[in-house]
Amino acid sequence: MKKYKKIDTTFFEMPPNRLLDKEEIKELENVGIQTTWISCKTCRETGATTDGREFCSMECYCAFNDIDPNAMRFLNDEWIELTAAGTGDAVEYQGIIYKVVSTDFSMERFRKKFRVAYSYILIGKEGEIKLRDLEYPLRKKGFGDETIINKYTNEDDGNEAK
């Protein structure tokens, strides 16, 4: 398995395009996050997951289900664009709501081919927090899959009415 940046155990979100290695599993289990060891149904790569997936990456999921990987990449970028927190958005960090004061996240930066890390400066009742080298951008508070589905449903309904 390739070597990735050290995971943040205080604000952990399962990386969408890889499994966790043994060192990462130990770190997560030390803070009480349960993991499950799996073998990818497509390429048989082994590793751990916290979200119940059966594949190591989106590419393997697409290959197994005969889906165009380019279409899936487009949907993934769209999902990140809709949910990623920017300046002024609310985020939840360690159970507390913070406001994003500053971030280096942008869709142009996200779409670059080389690996980049994201940084955020948050402010809330607990004071200011600086988060650096995040593997993925923080998500806006209140945005989840249901919110996005409802957004598309409402847009489709509005277009049909015209």
Side-chain angles (χ1 to χ4, degrees):
M1 190 176 265
K2 295 177 183 175
K3 198 67 176 168
Y4 291 94
K5 291 179 185 169
K6 184 175 165 81
I7 59 171
D8 181 1
T9 57
T10 57
F11 183 77
F12 176 75
E13 196 167 330
M14 184 69 193
N17 286 316
R18 69 179 183 91
L19 297 174
L20 304 171
D21 62 21
K22 290 178 184 179
E23 293 173 13
E24 293 171 325
I25 295 167
K26 287 178 187 176
E27 289 179 33
L28 291 174
E29 289 178 348
N30 286 340
V31 295
I33 298 174
Q34 297 297 316
T35 60
T36 305
W37 194 262
I38 68 160
S39 175
C40 178
K41 285 185 168 184
T42 305
C43 69
R44 301 296 180 218
E45 182 175 342
T46 58
T49 180
T50 60
D51 60 7
R53 69 178 69 174
E54 298 176 329
F55 302 93
C56 66
S57 67
M58 198 57 77
E59 287 78 17
C60 284
Y61 175 82
C62 290
F64 187 83
N65 291 297
D66 197 29
I67 299 172
D68 179 12
N70 292 325
M72 191 58 80
R73 261 185 233 107
F74 174 77
L75 291 173
N76 182 54
D77 288 352
E78 178 86 6
W79 178 80
I80 288 176
E81 186 173 12
L82 286 171
T83 62
T87 303
D89 290 329
V91 296
E92 185 173 350
Y93 178 71
Q94 296 181 337
I96 301 169
I97 306 297
Y98 290 92
K99 182 178 179 180
V100 177
V101 176
S102 176
T103 180
D104 61 358
F105 171 76
S106 69
M107 283 309 293
E108 292 77 25
R109 187 165 188 235
F110 175 76
R111 289 186 177 125
K112 290 183 179 176
K113 299 294 179 193
F114 57 88
R115 194 160 183 79
V116 295
Y118 305 98
S119 298
Y120 282 86
I121 299 175
L122 311 175
I123 194 159
K125 291 179 183 177
E126 304 295 317
E128 185 179 277
I129 296 177
K130 294 179 183 178
L131 301 175
R132 301 190 196 289
D133 299 326
L134 296 177
E135 194 168 345
Y136 295 95
L138 295 177
R139 281 192 269 165
K140 296 177 192 175
K141 176 70 178 143
F143 272 78
D145 296 333
E146 293 172 4
T147 307
I148 294 168
I149 290 167
N150 290 338
K151 177 186 180 294
Y152 283 123
T153 303
N154 292 339
E155 285 178 0
D156 291 344
D157 291 344
N159 290 338
E160 290 175 3
K162 290 182 180 179

